[in-house]
Amino acid sequence: MTGPITTELHDDILVIISNNPPVNALGAAVRQGLEAGIKEGLANDAVKAMVIRCDGRTFFAGADITEFGRPMQEPGLPTVVDMIEMADKPVVAAIHGTALGGGCEVTLGCHYRIAVPSAKIGTPEVKLGLLPGAGGTQRIPRIAGVKLALEMTAKGDPISAKMALGAGLIDRIAGEDSLVADAIAFARDIAAARPLPRAREKIAQADPEAVAAFKKDNAKRFRGFDAPAANIACVEKAADGSSFDEGIAFERAEFMKLMMGVQSAAQRHIFFAERQAAKIDGIDPKIALRPISKVGVIGAGTMGGGISMNFLSAGIPVTIVEMAQEALDRGTATIRKNYEASASKGRIKPEQAEAAMGALTPTLDFAALAECDLVIEAVYENMDVKKEIFAKLDAICKPGAILASNTSYLDVNAIAAATKRPGDVLGMHFFSPANVMKLLEVVRGEKTADDVLATVMALAKTIKKVAVVAGVCDGFIGNRMLKPRQIEAMKLLMEGATPEQIDRVHVAFGMPMGPFQMSDLAGVDIGWHRDPTRIESIRDALAAEGRWGQKTQKGFYDYDEKRNPTPSPRVAEIIEDFRAKSNMAKREISDEEIIEKTLYTMVNEGALILEEKMAQRASDIDVVWIYGYGWPVYRGGPMFWADSEGLKKIVAGLEKHGFAVSELLKSKAESGGRFNG
């Protein structure tokens, strides 16, 4: 056989081998090869059993996602899985790496399964707004029960070989380095065993209590998503007494509903957008990168400590510098506490925590940064302070060291101008908490060297961040788009809306919290001028009364000791007072108007960012908002959402309220264009 699938005859065992790097995706050629391999084994009387295995680093790690939305070439995966299952000779799946999605479904079609201890098995389709559509929702409950089937399909997290063995999803554990020999030996052991164990012939026991508990436990996680509910419904169908064929028909119908829906399109868009964001326009992908073996961080506060943890966790030594011993000790203690908490929860091993702390060098000596390959400044947002720090770094750091600022909105070009090496300077805007949040805005200055930008973008992958290139403008991508939302939300308060109404609309849209809940969480006093006698806005009035948000148990809301919010009568008074002073009449504000004024304006700002070439592509903006601000992934980011809503509708909504509309947005609306694809 040719192509990605080959066969080898080991006496009476036919081994069918896939070699389709990098992850043995189940594209058309692989499916065709599997079908031909099974037919070959069935036609040869000398063959008593078959083994399906993969070369490379993993078993089949899923479908070929590039085929989604295109006409499917035969045979489809369900056909191949059914053919394997209905073979009258035993078929053994030999699993290493990950058997995910369609790969997991191939193993379920096999009569027997053997895996190395490090293997993982799962059905992550729900993360793309889908369900395992080749019988996964029907076979898992029949083999392993409803409870595990719910976990695997509706949550989409893979399970270990050990757990799979206990659940009956695999039959035997192989040696880590002897999978091929062990699989062939296993096939020989069961070659004569009859009847063949077929998942379709097993009965799944209904478990309504497990279903109810699962729905309750995951209600918050699943809020707004269509796919988890469809997965749950399919698993329930497998155990309601229906025949296997009836269950498969139900699964197929649910799969097609999801596949044709906006949510799956949005989630697939983000899947590709995240990968596209790593590509830098105008730079050779083969450019030589600068070696980064030691990192310096200036500032041991919340941001500096979190930034340091990213590098320590990746095995990169960090020198952290502070001005005062007390601040340095406090920051170091917080880092240790975070690592110990992760170890106590089993997320990392205690020795990993110790290794990370062992790679940390806390110091008050600025000169200790001299040998660092990358230095990240993470002090408070003050241009004069940042310029002073970068002038110092210019004098201390070795030639070729990359100098980065963790500024969230200041001019990176002005910061770079404080040095004699502006080509080595860029922005690295981490999001708080920096050791948890996945987004990294990499800000390209006018003079940032190509290899500097490419090095930091590659380094982002090492520290497990999703990086997006941004240009130099106030707030870059994320905070620049946040600004009109916050401004319009405040204006709506003056016109008659309440904080709770505006927040409710945003939460119903799918945001984790609304503008005022976010303000209370971050701190109402952030960026406040600190003069309690100077009250020029509602926020000034709140801050002057010590209503600084959750940390003082009062902000736009009142909070109990568990930080549960309730509407505040005092805030209502303050708003009313401002409205009276401004001679504004209170009026009814519709939920639709809130969406138009707070979210349509964000889309408009995103279009301006694209016009000004401050973002490389619309999908990068979507990635920023998904990973940095909690935009619901099932809406695909603000620019994808605008495409889904219809750009003409967005423009009409903006013009209705008198907003100046971006020329790019206007032209796309007029031509029937889209921001994405």
Side-chain angles (χ1 to χ4, degrees), residues 493-625:
L493 288 187
M494 292 288 286
E495 292 177 41
T498 62
E500 48 273 21
Q501 183 195 3
I502 295 168
D503 285 345
R504 174 182 55 73
V505 168
H506 283 82
V507 171
F509 180 83
M511 300 288 195
M513 60 185 74
F516 301 107
Q517 291 165 318
M518 189 185 80
S519 186
D520 277 359
L521 179 65
V524 177
D525 60 318
I526 287 182
W528 179 46
H529 48 66
R530 304 280 156 184
D531 180 357
T533 63
R534 187 176 133 207
I535 298 175
E536 298 164 354
S537 67
I538 292 169
R539 195 192 73 154
D540 286 348
L542 298 183
E545 289 188 11
R547 298 191 70 94
W548 292 0
Q550 289 190 18
K551 59 191 171 188
T552 58
Q553 291 194 299
K554 53 188 181 179
F556 282 95
Y557 296 88
D558 293 331
Y559 294 88
D560 63 20
E561 61 285 348
K562 290 183 180 174
R563 297 198 172 192
N564 293 314
T566 50
S568 170
R570 176 62 190 136
V571 171
E573 283 175 14
I574 290 169
I575 294 168
E576 194 56 54
D577 185 43
F578 263 86
R579 196 181 289 123
K581 284 177 186 170
S582 305
N583 292 318
M584 288 186 77
K586 184 177 180 180
R587 63 183 180 84
E588 285 292 314
I589 307 284
S590 70
D591 291 357
E592 181 187 19
E593 184 178 343
I594 292 169
I595 291 283
E596 289 168 347
K597 287 187 171 177
T598 61
L599 299 189
Y600 286 17
T601 50
M602 284 176 57
V603 171
N604 193 43
E605 197 66 38
L608 290 169
I609 287 168
L610 290 170
E611 264 182 45
E612 296 165 22
K613 297 188 168 29
M614 294 293 117
Q616 296 189 109
R617 49 192 82 89
S619 60
D620 285 6
I621 294 174
D622 291 335
V623 168
V624 166
W625 271 83

Side-chain angles (χ1 to χ4, degrees), residues 191-398:
R194 296 293 185 278
L196 292 174
R198 294 187 173 100
R200 66 170 58 229
E201 292 166 2
K202 297 179 186 289
I203 303 294
Q205 297 300 318
D207 194 346
E209 288 179 7
V211 174
F214 182 77
K215 286 179 178 175
K216 184 181 174 188
D217 292 345
N218 293 285
K220 188 176 177 184
R221 176 176 178 154
F222 295 159
R223 180 175 68 87
F225 286 90
D226 292 339
N231 276 276
I232 293 167
C234 287
V235 170
E236 287 186 285
K237 184 70 177 172
D240 72 357
S242 299
S243 71
F244 182 79
D245 288 341
E246 287 169 337
I248 288 291
F250 185 83
E251 178 189 88
R252 173 59 22 186
E254 291 296 309
F255 179 87
M256 292 312 296
K257 268 192 261 176
L258 293 174
M259 180 60 126
M260 303 311 289
V262 174
Q263 287 201 2
S264 179
Q267 288 176 257
R268 282 180 275 135
H269 163 70
I270 290 300
F271 178 88
F272 286 115
E274 182 183 330
R275 283 144 188 82
Q276 188 70 16
K279 296 173 183 169
I280 313 167
D281 290 346
I283 294 183
D284 183 348
K286 296 189 179 112
I287 192 169
L289 304 180
R290 299 191 186 186
I292 306 292
S293 55
K294 190 175 184 183
V295 171
V297 176
I298 302 168
T302 304
M303 284 306 294
I307 291 168
S308 298
M309 287 182 72
N310 290 304
F311 294 97
L312 295 170
S313 298
I316 300 171
V318 173
T319 298
I320 192 165
V321 179
E322 255 296 353
M323 298 274 291
Q325 189 66 48
E326 185 189 352
L328 188 65
D329 292 344
R330 187 168 57 244
T332 307
T334 300
I335 293 172
R336 177 173 285 283
K337 184 178 159 192
N338 287 340
Y339 275 122
E340 286 174 350
S342 291
S344 70
K345 289 170 186 167
R347 289 180 190 149
I348 60 172
K349 294 175 181 170
E351 52 267 32
Q352 287 176 292
E354 283 310 312
M357 291 308 297
L360 179 67
T361 305
T363 180
L364 300 176
D365 182 11
F366 218 82
L369 300 170
E371 291 309 307
C372 290
D373 303 300
L374 164 68
V375 179
I376 303 168
E377 162 275 309
V379 303
Y380 58 95
E381 293 285 75
N382 179 291
M383 181 59 90
D384 292 337
V385 172
K386 289 185 190 286
K387 282 182 174 177
E388 186 184 334
I389 286 171
F390 274 77
K392 269 192 195 177
L393 289 174
D394 193 28
I396 289 168
C397 291
K398 66 184 181 183

Side-chain angles (χ1 to χ4, degrees), residues 165-219:
L165 179 69
L169 284 173
I170 63 172
D171 304 284
R172 197 176 286 189
I173 298 282
E176 195 67 58
D177 301 314
S178 57
L179 176 62
V180 177
D182 291 350
I184 291 169
F186 183 28
R188 213 160 262 137
D189 288 347
I190 51 82
R194 296 293 185 278
L196 292 174
R198 294 187 173 100
R200 66 170 58 229
E201 292 166 2
K202 297 179 186 289
I203 303 294
Q205 297 300 318
D207 194 346
E209 288 179 7
V211 174
F214 182 77
K215 286 179 178 175
K216 184 181 174 188
D217 292 345
N218 293 285

Side-chain angles (χ1 to χ4, degrees), residues 69-133:
R70 299 179 185 177
M72 180 63 71
Q73 288 187 54
E74 293 301 329
L77 188 59
T79 302
V80 174
V81 173
D82 287 347
M83 182 187 183
I84 293 168
E85 188 174 50
M86 295 314 295
D88 59 10
K89 295 179 184 179
V91 183
V92 176
I95 307 160
H96 77 292
T98 52
L100 298 178
C104 177
E105 290 177 294
V106 167
T107 73
L108 298 173
C110 292
H111 308 110
Y112 300 94
R113 294 161 287 278
I114 183 170
V116 296
S118 60
K120 285 188 162 51
I121 297 174
T123 52
E125 286 90 343
V126 70
K127 295 177 183 180
L128 292 179
L130 294 168
L131 54 78

